[in-house]
Amino acid sequence: MSHSLFFFFASVFCLLRFGQHVMGQDTFDWNQITPSDSLAWVPCNTNFECARLTVPLDYKNPNVSTAAIALIRLPAGVPTNSSDYRGPLILGAGGPGGSGVDLVLANADLARAIIGPQFDLVGFDGRGISRSTPRASFFPTQAERAQFPAYLRSLNASEDAFGRAYADFTLQSSLARARDDGSLRFTNTESTARDMLKIVQAHGQKKVQYWGFSIGSVLGTTFAEMFPDKIERLVIDGVMDPEDYYSTSWLTNLHDTNQTWNIFLDGCVAAGPSACALYEPTAAAIQAKVDAFSKQLKTRPIAAITSLSSSTPSYHVVDYSMLRQTIFTALYTPYASFQPLATALHQLSLGNASALYEMSGLFASPYQCPANAAEAAQEEFSNLLDGQVAIQCNDGAAISTDFNDVKAHYEKLCATSPWCDVLLPRLTCLGWPKNSKDNVALSFTANTSFPMLAVSNTADPVTPHANGVKVSGNFPGSVLLTQDSPGHTSIAAPSTCTLLHIAAYFINGTLPASGTICPVDDGAELFPSGSSATQSAS
Ligand SMILES: *[C@@H]1O[C@H](CO)[C@@H](O)[C@H](O)[C@H]1NC(C)=O
Ligand SMILES: *[C@@H]1O[C@H](CO)[C@@H](O)[C@H](O)[C@H]1NC(C)=O
Ligand SMILES: *[C@@H]1O[C@H](CO)[C@@H](O)[C@H](O)[C@H]1NC(C)=O
Ligand SMILES: *[C@@H]1O[C@H](CO)[C@@H](O)[C@H](O)[C@H]1NC(C)=O
Ligand SMILES: *[C@@H]1O[C@H](CO)[C@@H](O)[C@H](O)[C@H]1NC(C)=O
Ligand SMILES: *[C@@H]1O[C@H](CO)[C@@H](O)[C@H](O)[C@H]1NC(C)=O
Ligand SMILES: *[C@@H]1O[C@H](CO)[C@@H](O)[C@H](O)[C@H]1NC(C)=O
């Protein structure tokens, strides 16, 4: 399995992140499909099939109004009447609010290479998300949306940074309330789990086969608890602590982030100056260098311009927030990102912010108006952060809006991790329009009809290993597979061992022995030698 496949797989996740989600390669006009309550697949995007499934908007009042769930599948490579055919396997995106359609579109070929041709590989956009309607959206126009901060600034960037985030998200919640057509409250994980059961049943199956990444693990564990006898196969990969999530605490995510960062520092030292541009003889010396220019950036941001010669030059002022978010993002995909991160940081230490700005591009890129009708049609179904906010805030318990309480919670998080300033989704729920709680009472345990397989990395920056231990321990029969690697979810690092275990689980129902630890493949390097790391001055 070549590394580049893994990097591609990982790159579309954009998990747990603020910022514009990446559009997949979708060229299909979803308006062509009239939603129906059976799965009527139509060809789309070359090898794929697309459908829109009608489900009740409100499962408690199913006849009042409907939602339309957008689905895509790569049909199985074996005839559906053959004994090899294994039915639909749903790939669950992270986010929350990530697009399962984009996930499958970009990764179905790779997933097929891992687990074989027996399955229809299915992805769906959760209710409220992207191509599923009604969509959660707090802004009636893109022009209005563009006035809102595109990504979370570091909460430590300046004296008013935390207060600004408090104000921004309070404002966003009031917009969400004002623009709600009555459908907003139904964008939640409980209803999505019911939708998933409908999808399985519409395929003519009784039980689910699911591989959920990151926040997709919350859908997996919620489904398992609501429908424990409907589990055929369930993999949760990059495990969230559902208890922490549903309490809107977000206090467990950053447990291993420092460790991931330390692997960057130690890896750079071990790689030497030819493979790591930021090289110093000790991790402490690299840390000191990073601390020094970080501190400087707080008061002296640096201008960056890229491709001035092209027709769409791009420019920005690289500040402390962009630095922190770019480093944090790189920790998700170490095998793809550590070496270029080291180069970008080295360049920054020399006063050149261009490379760092380019790395940050994903979430900092300015809004571009659609160039033509086709792009405008795509935009109608593009992924919005609003969906992420709607799910996590509808799912989560109500929180205090008292500024001191909110700040105290932040300091509690900071006591657990030096990375508290870049990830606190709880803030998006300040002043959120809470409705009477629809969620089933969750106890975070269940006896499932087939044992769950949990997968956790030893140094995952946002879904720490302890979460996998906890969740796996709560579901009798479940096994935790540990991948000894940094990065977010198993696919952030190349491990044939992990992939063989996942394939054996899906195909044969074989669980790894309890306590199994998979190494990354021989030859996989965080700082590949021979690559140009160029420590030379600019
Ligand atoms: C919803 O409609 C179906 C079919 O028309 C009917 O059988 C059912 O009783 C209705 N349910 C409610 C709650 O009104
Ligand atoms: C499966 O279906 C195809 C097409 O309908 C048919 O030609 C074939 O004989 C069937 N195979 C089996 C094993 O039933
Ligand atoms: C960020 O601010 C918090 C709370 O004031 C503090 O505890 C923490 O050390 C700061 N972290 C960084 C990286 O500046
Ligand atoms: C900054 O670095 C980029 C490469 O990342 C290079 O193209 C550019 O010329 C450098 N700018 C300056 C002012 O040295
Ligand atoms: C982060 O890692 C560094 C280097 O190992 C260590 O000195 C520091 O105490 C760690 N911080 C936390 C909060 O664990
Ligand atoms: C699971 O089954 C065991 C043994 O029958 C039982 O003791 C336990 O209460 C069950 N747990 C749940 C959550 O139903
Ligand atoms: C499933 O089991 C069969 C028979 O033991 C074996 O040959 C095959 O390799 C297994 N498949 C996977 C994906 O592990």
Side-chain angles (χ1 to χ4, degrees):
M1 194 72 57
S2 95
H3 296 173
S4 59
L5 289 175
F6 284 91
F7 303 152
F8 188 46
F9 208 143
S11 69
V12 298
F13 279 92
C14 214
L15 303 159
L16 267 173
R17 295 209 37 86
F18 288 84
Q20 214 59 44
H21 287 257
V22 207
M23 277 299 284
Q25 314 106 314
D26 189 9
T27 56
F28 183 64
D29 175 7
W30 289 78
N31 281 317
Q32 284 177 19
I33 305 181
T34 305
S36 76
D37 52 16
S38 62
L39 283 175
W41 297 102
V42 303
C44 68
N45 292 300
T46 318
N47 296 322
F48 293 85
E49 295 174 344
C50 292
R52 295 175 75 191
L53 182 69
T54 304
V55 296
L57 181 65
D58 175 2
Y59 277 94
K60 286 205 179 109
N61 298 291
N63 293 358
V64 176
S65 49
T66 59
I69 307 300
L71 294 108
I72 195 166
R73 74 172 180 184
L74 181 64
V78 299
T80 55
N81 61 359
S82 83
S83 58
D84 287 335
Y85 177 65
R86 299 293 298 273
L89 192 167
I90 298 173
L91 297 178
S99 161
V101 170
D102 286 335
L103 176 72
V104 164
L105 202 45
N107 298 298
D109 288 343
L110 177 61
R112 172 139 300 169
I114 296 168
I115 50 186
Q118 297 94 322
F119 301 90
D120 298 314
L121 297 173
V122 178
F124 68 98
D125 290 348
R127 49 174 51 222
I129 309 302
S130 290
R131 308 159 185 87
S132 290
T133 55
R135 234 173 28 147
S137 174
F138 316 147
F139 304 93
T141 64
Q142 291 294 352
E144 190 184 311
R145 181 179 303 282
Q147 294 175 43
F148 201 76
Y151 70 99
L152 181 71
R153 296 179 48 74
S154 162
L155 297 170
N156 281 16
S158 60
E159 267 189 70
D160 71 349
F162 190 86
R164 266 184 185 276
Y166 181 95
D168 282 337
F169 291 123
T170 303
L171 173 64
Q172 179 172 268
S173 291
S174 64
L175 293 177
R177 185 191 306 270
R179 270 71 190 259
D180 179 16
D181 61 3
S183 66
L184 183 61
R185 61 186 295 190
F186 302 111
T187 297
N188 60 51
T189 299
E190 178 189 336
S191 301
T192 303
R194 295 186 194 282
D195 297 340
M196 191 153 85
L197 183 59
K198 285 244 184 265
I199 290 168
V200 170
Q201 290 167 340
H203 272 96
Q205 309 279 323
K206 292 194 172 63
K207 295 181 180 176
V208 75
Q209 307 183 97
Y210 179 74
W211 183 1
F213 299 92
S214 188
I215 290 262
S217 71
V218 174
L219 177 58
T221 52
T222 302
F223 184 95
E225 201 180 328
M226 292 169 66
F227 308 110
D229 58 340
K230 298 277 188 288
I231 309 294
E232 183 81 34
R233 299 284 187 272
L234 180 59
V235 175
I236 52 174
D237 189 338
V239 181
M240 287 283 295
D241 174 351
E243 218 170 335
D244 184 63
Y245 168 79
Y246 277 109
S247 65
T248 325
S249 299
W250 297 91
L251 284 174
T252 67
N253 295 84
L254 302 173
H255 191 270
D256 291 345
T257 320
N258 197 36
Q259 201 187 332
T260 323
W261 171 245
N262 286 334
I263 289 172
F264 170 80
L265 297 177
D266 294 340
C268 183
V269 172
S274 65
C276 179
L278 197 63
Y279 173 81
E280 295 290 336
T282 66
I286 301 175
Q287 180 74 61
K289 194 154 86 174
V290 173
D291 286 347
F293 63 70
S294 296
K295 184 156 176 260
Q296 203 181 352
L297 220 49
K298 269 196 184 176
T299 50
R300 288 278 316 266
I302 304 175
I305 302 179
T306 60
S307 57
L308 197 52
S309 56
S310 88
S311 58
T312 52
S314 166
Y315 37 83
H316 204 90
V317 171
V318 170
D319 61 8
Y320 181 75
S321 294
M322 191 177 280
L323 172 67
R324 292 287 288 172
Q325 287 290 8
T326 304
I327 295 176
F328 183 61
T329 305
L331 300 179
Y332 284 51
T333 53
Y335 288 85
S337 303
F338 275 8
Q339 196 166 48
L341 177 68
T343 301
L345 294 179
H346 174 66
Q347 291 287 315
L348 190 64
S349 75
L350 302 173
N352 184 341
S354 297
L356 192 99
Y357 171 58
E358 278 177 34
M359 266 197 100
S360 77
L362 246 188
F363 57 87
S365 55
Y367 173 68
Q368 311 244 335
C369 294
N372 51 45
E375 276 186 32
Q378 285 296 304
E379 190 173 279
E380 184 185 344
F381 291 120
S382 70
N383 202 319
L384 303 174
L385 287 175
D386 313 26
Q388 164 169 351
V389 172
I391 292 181
Q392 67 204 15
C393 299
N394 282 332
D395 281 353
I399 57 169
S400 165
T401 54
D402 178 86
F403 187 81
N404 291 327
D405 288 351
V406 179
K407 193 78 200 280
H409 187 90
Y410 176 51
E411 265 145 30
K412 198 168 160 192
L413 178 65
C414 289
T416 73
S417 173
W419 295 88
C420 58
D421 60 314
V422 287
L423 187 82
L424 188 48
R426 172 186 167 93
L427 292 181
T428 65
C429 303
L430 284 168
W432 181 253
K434 291 305 280 187
N435 291 286
S436 62
K437 190 104 168 133
D438 286 335
N439 299 21
V440 287
L442 295 166
S443 56
F444 312 108
T445 171
N447 286 314
T448 53
S449 51
F450 197 84
M452 175 195 299
L453 173 61
V455 186
S456 287
N457 296 349
T458 45
D460 184 317
V462 283
T463 49
H465 190 257
N467 287 355
V469 174
K470 175 178 171 177
V471 171
S472 165
N474 283 348
F475 285 84
S478 157
V479 168
L480 173 64
L481 174 65
T482 297
Q483 177 170 291
D484 188 12
S485 81
H488 183 39
T489 79
S490 72
I491 53 181
S495 170
T496 304
C497 166
T498 299
L499 298 181
L500 289 177
H501 279 297
I502 289 174
Y505 174 80
F506 277 117
I507 292 174
N508 289 346
T510 312
L511 286 139
S514 172
T516 300
I517 300 175
C518 277
V520 296
D521 291 346
D522 281 348
E525 289 181 275
L526 290 169
F527 294 89
S529 48
S531 303
S532 55
T534 57
Q535 202 181 20
S536 63
S538 53

